[in-house]
């Protein structure tokens, strides 16, 4: 089992805990229902960013989202499309080196998802996803999301 797989499974479990109200039933990790949880929104390259975990059974997929940080001012032109450099990484906390994916994307004012890291993780492990976005002259200020895989 590779590290990303372990990371993904861990993220799935924590997501269930993070979104379930107190006293709510927690789905076992082997169900086929997909549960999504996201970390806090951050500002990078003048945009709102966030990293999310999508968990189905013991499979976890981390992905990043990019959106405008706020609505354009009335009467202002639509923001011009621009090139963004993204870095998405996933790891099992306390494990080895994270799996990392870098991608160049074009952001043209509509919400954007950057996907690509999928894996599984054993029950009880905690997984962490990190998403960074940069665009000249702004450097990345990565957002982080951790979840624990529950079974």
């Amino acid at each position: 089992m590779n590290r990303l797989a372990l990371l993904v499974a861990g993220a799935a479990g924590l997501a269930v805990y993070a979104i379930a109200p107190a006293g709510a039933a927690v789905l076992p990790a082997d169900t086929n229902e997909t549960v999504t949880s996201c970390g806090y929104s951050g500002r990078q390259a003048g945009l709102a960013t966030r990293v999310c975990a999508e968990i189905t059974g013991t499979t976890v997929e981390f992905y990043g989202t990019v959106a405008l940080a706020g609505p354009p001012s009335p009467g202002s032109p639509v923001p011009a499309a621009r090139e963004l450099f993204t870095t998405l990484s996933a790891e099992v906390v306390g494990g080895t080196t994270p799996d990392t994916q870098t991608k160049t994307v074009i952001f043209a004012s509509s919400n954007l998802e950057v996907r690509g890291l999928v894996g599984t993780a054993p029950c009880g492990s905690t997984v962490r996803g990190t998403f960074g976005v940069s665009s000249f002259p702004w450097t990345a200020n990565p957002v982080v999301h951790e979840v624990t895989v529950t079974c």
Side-chain angles (χ1 to χ4, degrees):
M1 182 179 297
N2 70 27
R3 291 171 286 152
L4 180 57
L6 294 175
L7 173 64
V8 173
L14 181 56
V16 171
Y17 277 126
I19 63 172
V26 176
L27 294 174
D30 61 352
T31 63
N32 288 329
E33 186 172 335
T34 299
V35 176
T36 302
S37 70
C38 297
Y40 292 106
S41 182
R43 301 260 173 131
Q44 299 182 71
L47 301 167
T49 61
R50 159 182 307 215
V51 64
C52 300
E54 206 168 76
I55 303 136
T56 305
T58 59
T59 301
V60 180
E61 176 180 10
F62 277 105
Y63 63 94
T65 65
V66 180
L68 290 174
S73 301
S76 65
V78 175
R82 62 181 167 163
E83 184 176 45
L84 302 177
F85 303 98
T86 66
T87 303
L88 180 64
S89 64
E91 66 180 315
V92 174
V93 175
T96 57
T97 308
D99 289 330
T100 302
Q101 160 192 293
T102 57
K103 231 183 223 186
T104 302
V105 297
I106 302 298
F107 179 76
S109 76
S110 60
N111 294 356
L112 177 70
E113 288 184 358
V114 178
R115 292 183 172 263
L117 292 179
V118 180
T120 61
C123 297
S125 61
T126 299
V127 293
R128 176 185 303 133
T130 305
F131 182 58
V133 175
S134 62
S135 177
F136 184 79
W138 295 291
T139 59
N141 183 22
V143 290
V144 178
H145 184 49
E146 286 187 2
V147 293
T148 299
V149 177
T150 58
C151 299

